[in-house]
Amino acid sequence: MRCLLTIAVILTAPNSSALAADAAFAQFVASLWPEAQKQGVARQTFDHETAGLEPDYKLPDLILPGRPATGAPSQAEFVQVPADYIKEASIARLAAYGQKLMQQYRPSLDKIEARFGVPATVVLAIWGRETDFGRYTLPYDAIRVLATQAYVGRRKDQYRGEFILALKLLGEGVVARKDLRASWGGAVGLTQFLPSEYYQHGVDLDGDGRVDIWHSVPDALASAAQQLAHKGWQGGLRWAHEVRAPDNVDCTMGVPEMTKPIGEWLRAGFVPVRGQKLSAKEQAEPASLLQPEGIYGPAFLTTKNYFVIKEYNFSDLYVLFVGHLSDRMTSPLPFATPWSASAQLRTADVEAMQKGLTRIGIYKDKIDGKAGMLTRAALGAYQKSAGLKVDCWPSEAVLRSINAQR
């Protein structure tokens, strides 16, 4: 009997390493009090909101020394092929609902367009992508997420500030804790703002004396518009033009630094997909080449506004989703060129590819496992040097070739 009791005690006793980790987390949170105090957070608020707070080690993208990665590997924007992320059925559904909302919130949207120069369809598309027009309930407690990211996330310093500002939101009565729900990255509200973005870009459009991005659609949409405006949005400028690339296109040109007036791209053989005639003003606008699937799939000439949206979420697929959804609210036409890729390398494989390209001296950006514009261009440069087909698309075959260069 005594042996059974001993076994039961062992089985039910808390894991000592887990206790130590949680104690270290609690100590870390407590150490943030001086910074919180400087931001105007009251001691009572700090103690109340952090009492019993525990880390969530199942969040993705954490750095956990000596422990395997847990949770989802990364954001969908960086691990799905375009056809899976920008699903036609999803775009069509959101566009139809967005058209109804455009009529429902027309007075507010008119104010937004007049004040910030951002089209109604763009802010609606952001709302649709971020929270399905408010119908998606964010799954995490923001305080727990932000504290965990500040403790073991990849951007600890940034999240220390975001955690403290989230406490400030609560202390000032901006939002109740039960409504402070977040994504795994700590963004909150209908249009997904980090706490610092709330303070930088929040707008009281409905005139009730408070900025409420959780319950007031006019406030949330105006705040999204002001964030875009603060980041450099240019009124009257399209986000991108879908084009057909010439057969001899050099996909390594697809980097933000390679900009030319749209007219020059057209004279080099790029053709608007539906034969649109661009005005002299449009042709004078600088643009970069974007080929999300390398030489396969659609191609785009991206303007400054493309990169403004990208500052809202640093993903080409996110911008394509938002931009295309915005267009679909006024036009029924899908992308003219279909997506073609059926598989995407795992995040770990893309990271290995980036490390290999860095070792060779071709890639000089961050190692993050995300096959963005710079990674695809570096990959194309490697393919050129190795005598391979230059398609700027990360595949297992190219990864094997890079690894063989050791």
Side-chain angles (χ1 to χ4, degrees):
M1 184 69 174
R2 185 173 178 179
C3 290
L4 290 175
L5 288 173
T6 302
I7 292 171
V9 169
I10 292 172
L11 291 176
T12 58
N15 182 282
S16 60
S17 62
L19 285 174
D22 288 351
F25 173 76
Q27 185 176 14
F28 165 75
V29 171
S31 74
L32 299 178
W33 161 243
E35 295 175 49
Q37 186 179 33
K38 288 179 182 178
Q39 287 287 348
V41 178
R43 183 82 223 197
Q44 181 180 2
T45 299
F46 186 89
D47 290 345
H48 179 265
E49 301 298 346
T50 62
L53 191 62
E54 296 181 349
D56 184 353
Y57 292 132
K58 292 183 179 180
L59 296 175
D61 247 11
L62 302 180
I63 301 173
L64 303 172
R67 298 178 58 173
T70 59
S74 189
Q75 290 174 254
E77 289 92 337
F78 298 107
V79 297
Q80 289 182 340
V81 294
D84 289 338
Y85 184 81
I86 311 175
K87 289 182 178 179
E88 171 58 25
S90 297
I91 292 288
R93 176 182 64 83
L94 290 170
Y97 194 58
Q99 289 169 340
K100 295 179 182 178
L101 294 172
M102 195 153 33
Q103 299 309 313
Q104 180 179 347
Y105 293 102
R106 188 74 264 174
S108 295
L109 293 168
D110 286 345
K111 290 181 185 178
I112 289 170
E113 290 186 340
R115 181 171 169 184
F116 303 110
V118 180
T121 54
V122 170
V123 291
L124 285 171
I126 288 174
W127 182 24
R129 179 66 195 97
E130 294 292 359
T131 59
D132 194 20
F133 298 118
R135 295 176 294 187
Y136 171 67
T137 301
L138 295 166
Y140 299 103
D141 171 62
I143 296 299
R144 187 183 187 196
V145 167
L146 293 169
T148 303
Q149 293 287 0
Y151 183 51
V152 288
R154 293 182 182 272
R155 294 173 285 165
K156 295 179 183 179
D157 291 342
Q158 175 189 354
Y159 276 105
R160 285 170 73 102
E162 299 297 346
F163 170 68
I164 289 166
L165 288 177
L167 295 175
K168 185 179 175 72
L169 288 173
L170 294 172
E172 292 176 348
V174 170
V175 60
R177 178 73 176 266
K178 67 180 178 61
D179 293 328
L180 197 60
R181 307 299 299 174
S183 65
W184 69 261
V188 301
L190 295 172
T191 47
Q192 289 284 269
F193 275 36
L194 289 170
S196 63
E197 293 169 336
Y198 172 89
Y199 284 108
Q200 292 167 19
H201 313 300
V203 177
D204 172 23
L205 193 75
D206 62 17
D208 67 353
R210 55 198 295 264
V211 177
D212 184 358
I213 63 172
W214 294 269
H215 308 100
S216 170
V217 171
D219 285 8
L221 297 182
S223 298
Q226 175 147 278
Q227 181 170 169
L228 295 176
H230 283 169
K231 294 178 185 302
W233 184 271
Q234 292 184 7
L237 179 66
R238 274 191 59 78
W239 63 278
H241 299 271
E242 186 185 353
V243 293
R244 287 195 176 87
D247 292 338
N248 62 346
V249 62
D250 181 352
C251 57
T252 65
M253 295 191 301
V255 292
E257 295 77 15
M258 175 67 75
T259 62
K260 294 189 288 189
I262 289 176
E264 286 193 27
W265 289 107
L266 300 184
R267 288 189 289 275
F270 292 83
V271 180
V273 291
R274 294 188 172 92
Q276 305 95 314
K277 300 298 182 183
L278 304 187
S279 68
K281 182 180 178 182
E282 288 175 314
Q283 292 195 41
E285 292 290 349
S288 300
L289 174 63
L290 171 67
Q291 293 179 287
E293 293 184 332
I295 64 173
Y296 317 108
F300 304 88
L301 296 179
T302 59
T303 70
K304 176 179 174 58
N305 282 349
Y306 177 95
F307 295 98
V308 171
I309 300 175
K310 194 168 181 176
E311 288 195 44
Y312 205 102
N313 182 309
F314 197 74
S315 157
D316 291 318
L317 291 187
Y318 177 89
V319 184
L320 288 168
F321 190 106
V322 166
H324 187 48
L325 175 55
S326 170
D327 290 345
R328 291 290 289 274
M329 290 183 202
T330 57
S331 168
L333 299 174
F335 289 128
T337 303
W339 300 107
S340 61
S342 59
Q344 170 73 290
L345 288 181
R346 296 178 306 137
T347 299
D349 289 334
V350 175
E351 190 170 300
M353 182 176 286
Q354 290 171 329
K355 289 178 179 177
L357 293 170
T358 299
R359 185 179 66 251
I360 296 168
I362 294 177
Y363 181 69
K364 297 179 181 179
D365 202 46
K366 55 190 174 185
I367 309 295
D368 58 5
K370 299 165 183 175
M373 296 173 85
L374 297 179
T375 299
R376 292 195 300 270
L379 176 58
Y382 169 76
Q383 290 171 322
K384 281 184 181 180
S385 67
L388 303 174
K389 178 181 179 179
V390 182
D391 63 7
C392 299
W393 180 250
S395 65
E396 291 183 7
V398 181
L399 177 59
R400 287 195 299 270
S401 176
I402 293 172
N403 288 338
Q405 299 295 315
R406 295 179 184 277

